[in-house]
Amino acid sequence: MNKKLKSPVVLAVAAHPDDIEFMAAGTLMLLKQAGCELHYLIVANGNCGSVEYDSNTTRKVRASEARRAAAYVGAHVHPSLVNDLEIFYDLKTLRRVAAVVREVKPGIVLTHSPQDYMEDHTNTCRLAVTAAFAHGAPNFKTIPSRPTHDGDVTVYHWMPHHFRDPLRRRVMPGAFVNTTSVQAVKRAALSEHRSQQSWLDASQGMNSYVASMENSAREMGKMSGRFKFAEGWRRHLHWGFSSREEDPLAALLGRNYRVSEAYEKRLNADG
Ligand SMILES: [Zn+2]
């Protein structure tokens, strides 16, 4: 009888060890406060994220950074599956991601934007979406083998890097989450990825990755017209994932969630 009131399990599927802290950790902290159990699957181990250390060392450093960052939200971190730049939309990886989905039985899956600046992100998005789709399909086999689960799943996409698609076009969010109350904790969680300071500086000219996250959250807040700091989201079409259309983030986050009317309006426009 109380089943309906139980907060859903949330699975965040990211490409790299710091992606969640950049784009989604604020929302996850609020979901934790709302009683959700949180899981992270970071598909690649982060081994390319260094110009100083070799692959093995980088992988180990980044795994411990990811665990420390996840501890801020109390998320369970599942083992990574492949190396950086080796995330492909292939059958073996899909079966492995689908096994995690079936193990965790999420009601909500959070992942990258279908359009983003690099292929690890877009391939991770595709893997997460199909793995979520396959949660109730017994003839799709997972590695390791896991039984299907019957619940509804709602998929949300966080915003692409710098809110742009790979062709430089602006991507607008469909909903905003007010992360102001957890912004300091989000900052602390991202700061755990210490190895990334010199890497992001060298590779992307981000002289302070924490300040960069802060600016993005402030920009999203401004865009919301209501919140000081925010994260943006787009909800996936529900067909095949859920028996009916739902927006569980709205129910869980209440006043900290705002649907963009402009976005909803555009969804129904022709062309
Ligand atoms: Zn990434």
Side-chain angles (χ1 to χ4, degrees):
M1 207 166 72
N2 281 335
K3 221 175 162 198
K4 231 182 151 209
L5 297 171
K6 198 172 175 278
S7 297
V9 173
V10 178
L11 172 65
V13 185
H16 306 118
D18 55 357
D19 290 332
I20 291 173
E21 280 72 38
F22 268 110
M23 305 309 288
T27 301
L28 284 153
M29 286 167 191
L30 296 171
L31 289 171
K32 181 75 176 182
Q33 288 171 12
C36 296
E37 179 186 314
L38 307 180
H39 292 258
Y40 289 3
L41 173 59
I42 299 161
V43 178
N45 56 28
N47 73 314
C48 288
S50 177
V51 285
E52 297 161 84
Y53 305 115
D54 66 17
S55 174
N56 244 351
T57 310
T58 309
R59 180 172 55 75
K60 282 182 199 151
V61 166
R62 300 202 69 192
S64 71
E65 288 173 346
R67 276 195 302 273
R68 283 201 298 275
Y72 281 88
V73 291
H76 176 79
V77 184
H78 294 258
S80 295
L81 306 175
V82 297
N83 287 332
D84 284 4
L85 304 181
E86 297 177 23
I87 303 178
F88 302 114
Y89 187 76
D90 63 78
L91 187 54
K92 189 178 169 196
T93 313
L94 182 59
R95 291 197 194 286
R96 294 172 80 193
V97 176
V100 175
V101 169
R102 288 187 188 172
E103 237 170 78
V104 166
K105 303 179 178 52
I108 297 173
V109 170
L110 308 177
T111 192
H112 288 278
S113 166
Q115 311 84 18
D116 209 337
Y117 81 120
M118 59 101 66
E119 294 295 312
D120 275 0
H121 285 199
T122 48
N123 287 338
T124 295
C125 173
R126 295 178 69 198
L127 289 162
V129 166
T130 305
F133 190 92
H135 72 278
N139 292 344
F140 183 75
K141 302 299 176 201
T142 63
I143 303 174
S145 178
R146 293 281 179 263
T148 55
H149 82 99
D150 298 330
D152 288 344
V153 180
T154 304
V155 178
Y156 293 87
H157 303 279
W158 58 73
M159 296 299 285
H161 196 49
H162 291 296
F163 316 146
R164 299 268 168 188
D165 77 6
L167 302 178
R168 297 177 288 129
R169 279 176 303 219
R170 191 99 164 131
V171 173
M172 300 305 285
F176 301 92
V177 171
N178 178 13
T179 55
T180 311
S181 68
V182 291
Q183 190 62 23
V185 194
K186 182 179 172 185
R187 202 183 302 129
L190 180 62
S191 303
E192 292 295 343
H193 296 278
R194 288 189 189 94
S195 68
Q196 293 309 282
Q197 178 60 67
S198 48
W199 162 251
L200 291 174
D201 195 5
S203 67
Q204 294 181 34
M206 286 164 73
N207 54 14
S208 168
Y209 68 103
V210 179
S212 162
M213 178 279 284
E214 194 93 341
N215 289 338
S216 293
R218 197 175 285 115
E219 190 184 339
M220 198 45 62
K222 202 173 275 177
M223 228 185 273
S224 77
R226 189 172 299 179
F227 309 135
K228 185 171 177 203
F229 293 103
E231 287 169 354
W233 293 95
R234 289 185 293 163
R235 180 160 53 87
H236 204 93
L237 200 58
H238 74 285
W239 290 322
F241 299 86
S242 184
S243 52
R244 60 181 187 280
E245 185 172 8
E246 281 184 310
D247 190 356
L249 287 188
L252 288 159
L253 301 176
R255 272 197 277 184
N256 283 326
Y257 188 74
R258 182 178 184 224
V259 172
S260 161
E261 279 169 36
Y263 181 90
E264 289 290 315
K265 218 175 263 176
R266 268 199 310 277
L267 291 178
N268 295 314
D270 291 335

